[in-house]
Amino acid sequence: MSMFPHNYLIYGADVSIVGATALIIFVLTYFKKWKWLWDNWITTVDHKRIGIMYILAAFAMFFRGGTDGLLMRTQLALPNLHFLSAQHYDEIFTTHGTIMILFMAMPMLIGLINVAVPLQIGARDVAFPYLNAISFWTFFFGAMLFNISFVFGGSPDAGWTSYAPLSELQFDPGPGENYYLLGLQLAGIGTIATGVNFLVTILKMRAPGMTLMKMPQFTWATLITSIIIIFAFPVLTVALALLTIDRLMGAHFFTIAAGGMPMMWVNLFWIWGHPEVYIVILPAFGILSDVISTFSGKKIFGYSAMVVSLATIAALSFTVWVHHFFTMGAGAAVNSFFGVSTMLIAIPTGVKIFNWLFTMYRGRIRFTTPMLWALAFIPTFVVGGMTGVMLAVAPADYQYHNSYFLVSHFHYVLIGGTVFGAFAGIYYWWPKMFGHKLNERLGRWHVGTFVLFFNMTFFPMYIVGLMGMTRRMYTYPAGLGWTALNLIETIGAFGQGASMMIMAVNIVRSIKFGERDVTGDIWDGRTLEWSTTSPAAEYNFSVLPHVTSVDEWWEEKKRGVVRPDHATFKPIHMPNNSGWPFLIGLSFFVAGFGLVFNWWLSAIVGALGIITFLFLRSFDYNTDHYIPVDEVKRVEAAAGR
């Protein structure tokens, strides 16, 4: 029993997990849905369904990370509270940060990329559909490995940055940190594969006529994000592997007393960590560009400048990592270089913001829910960006460092940028995913209340940070002038949770009552995804489009082009579903769980499973099929085309 925590809150969470799992098993068994689940989802290699699974997993992680946030805010609502123990608080702020960035924000955006990018470039699939499924299942089982930590053995507690030597075995015994290292490692494997997959997909599978400078902005953002992933994530992979070897095998890569160097962890982590910020913000920029263009009824202003800005931000993202530790004594010259390189990012970012404003100028703006998220994004992100420039001033950073001012800054950027952008994308592409719209009235309530409570939560943090409140503080005494501001922040946090309930109600209600999209073009869109059915068929396009313009579908509508042309139908080549990716991901999980507890037999069984399933997959020749013309005609006719 020593591996089970003895905190009643954790017991309650354990019981809720067991109860929810039992309920899911009962429902699937009672309604005889196991075969449906296996055939249509677990074994799917369809990029659209994989995208939906990413988004569903991200929402589950949003619930988990959000609950952690509410517990933290409850603890800090008033002085001298002991709602959580200090150890429990350490674990919660560690899991909150890790989950929200790596298991919520990234998969939410990768899900939208999976749903929209192949459709935007007029492709029938991604370049490597099996690899895409492996990416999802390694991410999923990595997330599960991380999340079962508080059920078996205890959660990681060294912060989401896991700085050495704090995260070394000497100062952090127990399996919690192992969960962190191995869960992130599994998910990271999937992310690198996703980066390679979408880089090749965009470069090699664009529709005829679609040159690079005729791609939609979201596709451009995905291309550049894929390049960042390919260069940044291997650094994290190496860092995690080194620390894992330290903890499991007694090495000393980061232990200074034995010849190691703790600063190497800090450098490796942030060489990955700061580009990671742009991995989760650039796709959001792409979504906002497409949404603002669509609902302003205009081409994006300064298309070429927007592309150059994306590329410039990506390049600069690799030159700023030291600004995370100005106070560690690198010296004036080093701090000056990294301070200036950080400030330079404000220039291409400013270009993008002004171009979004100029796109709206004299446009026929439709205030739909996706557009409202985009409009909420601009001022929020500007506040986050400007306070980021303040933090880039090294002497001033000595004052702000590790204070709640910093906490407020990165929430304004990551929620005001990434999450607002992801919500805009979800409302925008929801009809393309499921064939119906989310309710606009409930959507507006969601936007309004979330933005209100978001600012109520995080703006006071700027003030309380300047008053001296440091991050990761477990509790604080009365009389410092922080009480009222902390109470307002806590009320705001619970308000955000209530706002998310509006979205949940909207989703459930819209399944039955949502406006059906029978045209495939419910927003009067501009890019190619709106030229096919909603939801798109397995093959995406019955006839591949020929592209002549950035806003190809908008131009075709003006020219009166009718799609599809039945006379040009041909058999369509598509990949078969496969259970190997799921089994490979499960084997990674078994191996990872064994390593967490130094159970080498389990680790070896998992490793043998990975090798065996990869071997069997290499001799699986039943990997693809052709969809006959008659079936294509039947599917198109059923969609009214």
Side-chain angles (χ1 to χ4, degrees):
M1 288 295 289
S2 60
M3 64 188 289
F4 288 91
H6 45 273
N7 182 294
Y8 290 117
L9 275 173
I10 297 176
Y11 274 138
D14 293 348
V15 169
S16 68
I17 290 173
V18 172
T21 304
L23 180 63
I24 291 169
I25 293 173
F26 172 77
V27 169
L28 289 171
T29 305
Y30 184 80
F31 291 102
K32 299 178 180 176
K33 291 294 183 182
W34 286 106
K35 188 174 186 308
W36 166 83
L37 184 67
W38 177 265
D39 290 344
N40 292 280
W41 294 96
I42 292 177
T43 61
T44 187
V45 294
D46 185 330
H47 66 89
K48 302 178 289 295
R49 293 192 174 209
I50 288 173
I52 290 170
M53 289 195 294
Y54 266 115
I55 293 168
L56 290 175
F59 269 118
M61 292 298 98
F62 201 2
F63 176 77
R64 163 71 204 278
T67 302
D68 285 347
L70 293 181
L71 291 173
M72 290 162 61
R73 286 311 323 162
T74 303
Q75 166 65 27
L76 295 171
L78 296 169
N80 296 314
L81 281 185
H82 296 282
F83 170 67
L84 302 173
S85 68
Q87 174 63 26
H88 195 180
Y89 186 81
D90 288 350
E91 293 175 0
I92 281 179
F93 76 62
T94 299
T95 54
H96 171 75
T98 308
I99 285 173
M100 284 305 206
I101 292 175
L102 287 152
F103 297 126
M104 189 285 288
M106 272 188 51
M108 186 86 77
L109 293 164
I110 290 175
L112 291 170
I113 287 169
N114 264 283
V115 167
V117 166
L119 293 169
Q120 285 199 328
I121 63 172
R124 291 211 165 100
D125 207 336
V126 295
F128 308 113
Y130 285 94
L131 184 64
N132 201 26
I134 290 174
S135 295
F136 172 74
W137 287 114
T138 50
F139 147 72
F140 178 82
F141 282 112
M144 291 303 101
L145 185 63
F146 185 87
N147 274 276
I148 63 168
S149 60
F150 73 90
V151 180
F152 299 106
S155 298
D157 56 1
W160 90 280
T161 54
S162 280
Y163 280 161
L166 176 63
S167 53
E168 291 278 10
L169 199 58
Q170 178 185 359
F171 300 107
D172 196 352
E177 186 60 23
N178 294 350
Y179 276 116
Y180 170 93
L181 294 168
L182 292 156
L184 264 61
Q185 194 71 283
L186 294 196
I189 291 169
T191 304
I192 293 171
T194 297
V196 173
N197 209 343
F198 277 91
L199 177 72
V200 178
T201 299
I202 294 169
L203 292 180
K204 302 295 289 184
M205 297 184 68
R206 302 191 306 279
M210 181 178 277
T211 62
L212 287 176
M213 294 306 283
K214 288 177 183 168
M215 296 195 307
Q217 286 286 319
F218 183 55
T219 301
W220 257 116
T222 302
L223 176 65
I224 292 174
T225 302
S226 300
I227 294 170
I228 302 177
I229 287 173
I230 291 168
F231 281 96
F233 259 80
V235 181
L236 178 68
T237 302
V238 170
L240 293 172
L242 294 179
L243 189 51
T244 304
I245 292 170
D246 268 13
R247 290 180 59 86
L248 298 185
M249 301 177 185
H252 296 283
F253 289 108
F254 306 114
T255 311
I256 198 164
M261 178 52 70
M263 277 303 296
M264 184 167 70
W265 169 267
V266 180
N267 277 289
L268 290 174
F269 185 88
W270 286 115
I271 287 172
W272 160 79
H274 204 84
E276 165 68 10
V277 172
Y278 296 96
I279 289 170
V280 296
I281 196 64
L282 292 190
F285 284 176
I287 292 168
L288 295 165
S289 295
D290 286 356
V291 165
I292 289 173
S293 173
T294 297
F295 296 110
S296 299
K298 289 174 63 183
K299 282 184 178 178
I300 192 74
F301 182 88
Y303 176 94
S304 301
M306 295 293 268
V307 173
V308 171
S309 299
L310 285 172
T312 305
I313 292 170
L316 288 172
S317 73
F318 286 94
T319 68
V320 300
W321 80 91
V322 173
H323 74 216
H324 290 275
F325 43 97
F326 279 148
T327 58
M328 290 191 182
V334 173
N335 282 357
S336 298
F337 172 83
F338 285 95
V340 171
S341 63
T342 302
M343 292 178 203
L344 287 176
I345 292 185
I347 297 172
T349 307
V351 169
K352 299 190 79 64
I353 288 172
F354 279 110
N355 281 6
W356 288 324
L357 295 175
F358 284 128
T359 302
M360 287 186 274
Y361 179 64
R362 291 190 172 178
R364 301 180 65 180
I365 297 176
R366 289 175 283 158
F367 293 99
T368 60
T369 305
M371 187 65 175
L372 291 176
W373 280 115
L375 293 173
F377 159 89
I378 292 175
T380 310
F381 192 79
V382 167
V383 171
M386 292 305 295
T387 50
V389 173
M390 292 170 67
L391 286 159
V393 180
D397 185 73
Y398 273 68
Q399 182 67 34
Y400 307 137
H401 187 74
N402 266 348
S403 74
Y404 260 81
F405 187 91
L406 172 66
V407 176
S408 183
H409 156 69
F410 65 67
H411 280 91
Y412 262 82
V413 173
L414 289 174
I415 296 181
T418 301
V419 175
F420 283 17
F423 282 158
I426 286 169
Y427 277 94
Y428 183 53
W429 284 307
W430 192 270
K432 193 52 63 181
M433 288 189 274
F434 299 105
H436 64 266
K437 277 174 73 174
L438 291 173
N439 181 273
E440 281 288 291
R441 185 175 180 185
L442 288 172
R444 291 190 182 98
W445 272 101
H446 181 209
V447 181
T449 52
F450 194 92
V451 172
L452 171 66
F453 288 117
F454 164 81
N455 283 288
M456 194 170 162
T457 305
F458 295 107
F459 195 82
M461 288 186 187
Y462 281 124
I463 302 169
V464 81
L466 292 173
M467 294 170 72
M469 185 169 176
T470 59
R471 66 193 295 200
R472 306 186 182 111
M473 181 174 279
Y474 160 60
T475 189
Y476 54 92
L480 297 174
W482 301 349
T483 303
L485 292 168
N486 273 287
L487 185 60
I488 291 169
E489 291 164 19
T490 301
I491 294 169
F494 278 89
Q496 286 180 80
S499 175
M500 288 305 298
M501 291 300 104
I502 297 174
M503 186 179 192
V505 169
N506 195 351
I507 291 172
V508 173
R509 182 185 180 281
S510 297
I511 292 172
K512 186 170 184 179
F513 302 107
E515 180 185 345
R516 302 292 138 177
D517 179 10
V518 295
T519 65
D521 187 17
I522 201 163
W523 299 118
D524 194 14
R526 307 178 73 84
T527 43
L528 283 176
E529 72 267 35
W530 304 108
S531 68
T532 188
T533 55
S534 294
E538 175 192 359
Y539 46 79
N540 289 354
F541 299 92
S542 53
V543 179
L544 291 180
H546 185 88
V547 176
T548 59
S549 166
V550 171
D551 294 331
E552 177 61 26
W553 178 233
W554 183 262
E555 298 297 332
E556 287 187 14
K557 284 188 287 188
K558 282 169 55 180
R559 294 198 303 268
V561 174
V562 177
R563 291 246 198 119
D565 181 356
H566 289 227
T568 58
F569 283 177
K570 294 178 181 176
I572 298 173
H573 182 231
M574 296 299 295
N576 290 343
N577 284 357
S578 173
W580 300 123
F582 173 79
L583 295 173
I584 291 169
L586 183 61
S587 299
F588 269 113
F589 176 84
V590 172
F593 189 74
L595 289 174
V596 165
F597 291 100
N598 286 20
W599 294 344
W600 294 101
L601 178 61
S602 172
I604 292 169
V605 168
L608 288 176
I610 297 165
I611 294 169
T612 303
F613 293 131
L614 287 172
F615 180 79
L616 293 174
R617 157 65 183 157
S618 67
F619 288 97
D620 181 2
Y621 298 108
N622 183 27
T623 58
D624 50 77
H625 65 282
Y626 277 90
I627 302 174
V629 170
D630 287 345
E631 186 174 341
V632 176
K633 287 182 178 176
R634 182 181 59 75
V635 172
E636 294 295 314
R641 298 159 71 88

